[in-house]
Amino acid sequence: MTAPGVESAIPAGRTVGERRLHPVTPFRRAWAPVAVLTGWAVHDPNQAQEQLTKLTTTMVLGGLAALVTAGALYGFLTWWFTYFSVTDSELRIRTGLLFRRTAHIRLERIQAVDITQPLLARVAGVAKLRIDVVGTDKKDELAFLGQGEARALRAELLARAAGFAPETAHEVGEAPAHELMRVPPAKLALSIVLTGATWGSLAAALVAPPFLWLTTHSVWTVLATAVPLLGAAATTSVGRFVGEYDWTVGESPDGLRIDHGLLDRTHETVPPGRVQTVRIVEPLMWRPLRWVRVELDVAGSANSVLVPVAPRAVAESVVARVLPGVTVPGEPLRPPGRARWCVPLWWRGYGLAVTDTVFAARHGLLRRHLALVPHAKVQSVRLTQGPWRRLWRLADVHVDTGAGKTVTARLRGAEEAAALLREQAERSRTGRRTARPDRWMA
């Protein structure tokens, strides 16, 4: 539906016209009161059962009907008073039934526009648009839009963020994508089975409840413990499989596109130039198969996984796409042998490699993590040295990134750490001067 265009009192740009969300949007709030009641019943089952025994079936059904109607009415009113529009310089989202709120999202600060489709939204043919903006942790969203409208609006916002003129941005359309890799469901399932966290959570869910029953003989204690443990086991196995099902990575002019999900389908974009850190994770049981997992730290974005599982060579080729010009270094250099007196046994899991493009630090003996930080993304460098490490002439070098994360090269020799501190500061300054632009489609 399209509301009549209104002229804005803000001189920042020309109002193209305000539009409403999809008409199916009000129904998503209709069942909210029922969900609240269900949560109360689960939280206090005894009180809920006591209250239900005082009511007749007619009263219960009538009350539920009244709650659903009230929720639907509230959803309709919030939908009716919600508009969005794209001007020459910003996306405006106007919401509020009693208290009005207008979000002004500058187009040049948009760094990602993702499309998500929960299961019921897929059935209804609608989608949710989530917008990442530089400098904010919370995503603004438009829920829901028709699938075609959501894709067209996403393409227009990215084109405008890339600098296309307002008159031609809506004609650019969605940039074509070239598929780089796809994770087969069988490989994903096997990778989950070969993950230690899956077996650990399952063992805890099977062992803890019987032990508590033998010691307490309390059904409620067993249930209060078993339900969260079973939920954690399901999340680390079935939940991960459902969320990462049919994981596809494609390359387009507006960045790397990631599509995934069995029930809830998600279409994400890795913002170009804003990846701060790439982590290559190698669990113990994956090593004979040479499989790895690739994770990301993106400034101001919730994107955290790039590749859930893939052969190392394929994963490194995808890393080269998200970090152009970067080659994953070989075996990192271990700390000196005297580091065993500070961290016995586990000191062998630490390592450091510095190339012309990245600062790479490894940690973990059983589950290895190799973190890659492009020199241009380093915000600060620090050296720390406690009294025990000072005794053994060892120090840690910390590299801070724009995503609020820190990568640490641990247990380096004191002289090596001091030289690394000076050299990394210079590499960071040089890297920022020669870094590629962060603009979309640049």
Side-chain angles (χ1 to χ4, degrees):
M1 297 179 65
T2 303
V6 294
E7 292 299 322
S8 172
I10 300 176
R14 173 179 54 84
T15 299
V16 176
E18 289 189 327
R19 290 178 280 173
R20 286 199 180 99
L21 302 175
H22 195 278
V24 78
T25 302
F27 294 100
R28 70 172 181 152
R29 300 183 183 273
W31 296 100
V34 178
V36 172
L37 283 179
T38 303
W40 167 72
V42 172
H43 177 71
D44 193 352
N46 294 329
Q47 182 68 17
Q49 184 178 7
E50 181 180 344
Q51 294 296 330
L52 285 175
T53 55
K54 299 178 182 179
L55 303 175
T56 64
T57 303
T58 303
M59 295 173 65
V60 171
L61 294 178
L64 288 176
L67 284 174
V68 171
T69 302
L73 179 60
Y74 175 73
F76 173 79
L77 291 175
T78 54
W79 168 78
W80 184 262
F81 288 99
T82 298
Y83 298 91
F84 70 94
S85 62
V86 182
T87 72
D88 289 352
S89 58
E90 63 188 14
L91 168 67
R92 298 176 187 170
I93 305 176
R94 186 156 60 90
T95 59
L97 177 59
L98 299 178
F99 301 96
R100 305 298 292 171
R101 172 184 177 269
T102 303
H104 300 267
I105 303 173
R106 304 291 298 181
L107 296 178
E108 70 271 12
R109 297 185 66 81
I110 292 177
Q111 65 175 4
V113 183
D114 301 330
I115 296 177
T116 60
Q117 288 184 282
L119 179 59
L120 294 180
R122 293 173 65 185
V123 174
V126 296
K128 180 189 299 184
L129 211 64
R130 305 182 66 189
I131 304 162
D132 267 339
V133 182
V134 178
T136 61
D137 295 328
K138 182 181 178 181
K139 288 187 177 182
D140 285 285
E141 65 179 31
L142 294 172
F144 288 93
L145 301 171
Q147 291 185 16
E149 183 182 11
R151 288 187 176 274
L153 181 59
R154 175 186 181 276
E156 180 182 356
L157 291 176
L158 293 182
R160 299 281 288 276
F164 282 87
E167 296 77 14
T168 60
H170 68 281
E171 301 174 357
V172 173
E174 188 172 28
H178 168 67
E179 183 177 309
L180 296 178
M181 61 154 293
R182 183 186 296 268
V183 179
K187 179 181 291 187
L188 177 62
L190 180 58
S191 71
I192 294 173
V193 171
L194 295 178
T195 301
T198 302
W199 292 104
S201 59
L202 183 61
L206 294 177
V207 172
F211 175 78
L212 289 174
W213 172 254
L214 292 175
T215 56
T216 64
H217 296 286
S218 172
V219 175
W220 295 112
T221 301
V222 172
L223 288 177
T225 304
V227 171
L229 289 177
L230 289 173
T235 300
T236 57
S237 55
V238 178
R240 181 179 161 191
F241 179 83
V242 170
E244 297 179 352
Y245 178 84
D246 193 29
W247 192 283
T248 305
V249 180
E251 186 178 35
S252 72
D254 53 23
L256 291 187
R257 293 186 188 167
I258 301 175
D259 299 330
H260 61 93
L262 178 60
L263 302 179
D264 297 351
R265 196 67 181 167
T266 302
H267 308 269
E268 300 175 331
T269 302
V270 178
R274 297 196 180 277
V275 176
Q276 308 293 310
T277 308
V278 173
R279 289 183 303 278
I280 299 178
V281 183
E282 191 177 13
L284 178 63
M285 289 184 285
W286 289 15
R287 292 181 199 170
L289 301 173
R290 292 190 59 79
W291 288 355
V292 297
R293 176 182 178 89
V294 182
E295 300 174 349
L296 300 173
D297 289 330
V298 182
S301 176
N303 293 336
S304 60
V305 179
L306 179 61
V307 179
V309 59
R312 190 178 187 93
V314 175
E316 290 184 0
S317 68
V318 177
V319 171
R321 300 285 186 168
V322 77
L323 297 178
V326 171
T327 302
V328 178
E331 183 66 19
L333 182 64
R334 283 182 179 176
R338 59 183 182 274
R340 65 171 57 93
W341 299 107
C342 294
V343 184
L345 184 62
W346 295 101
W347 70 275
R348 295 178 178 273
Y350 296 119
L352 171 68
V354 181
T355 69
D356 294 338
T357 54
V358 293
F359 176 97
R362 188 184 70 185
H363 73 274
L365 193 59
L366 301 180
R367 183 182 175 90
R368 294 176 180 170
H369 294 74
L370 178 65
L372 310 175
V373 183
H375 297 314
K377 302 303 179 182
V378 175
Q379 301 294 314
S380 62
V381 187
R382 297 174 289 115
L383 185 149
T384 60
Q385 187 182 43
W388 184 247
R389 298 192 180 189
R390 188 180 305 118
L391 177 64
W392 293 102
R393 305 188 312 283
L394 298 171
D396 297 339
V397 177
H398 309 270
V399 168
D400 303 315
T401 70
K405 305 292 184 178
T406 300
V407 174
T408 303
R410 301 188 182 278
L411 302 176
R412 310 313 304 178
E415 297 81 6
E416 176 193 2
L420 180 62
L421 182 70
R422 296 189 300 270
E423 294 169 0
Q424 185 58 46
E426 180 59 29
R427 280 190 291 262
S428 301
R429 285 192 292 270
T430 305
R432 282 191 290 271
R433 287 197 298 265
T434 60
R436 299 178 61 179
D438 290 349
R439 298 285 295 179
W440 290 102
M441 304 180 186

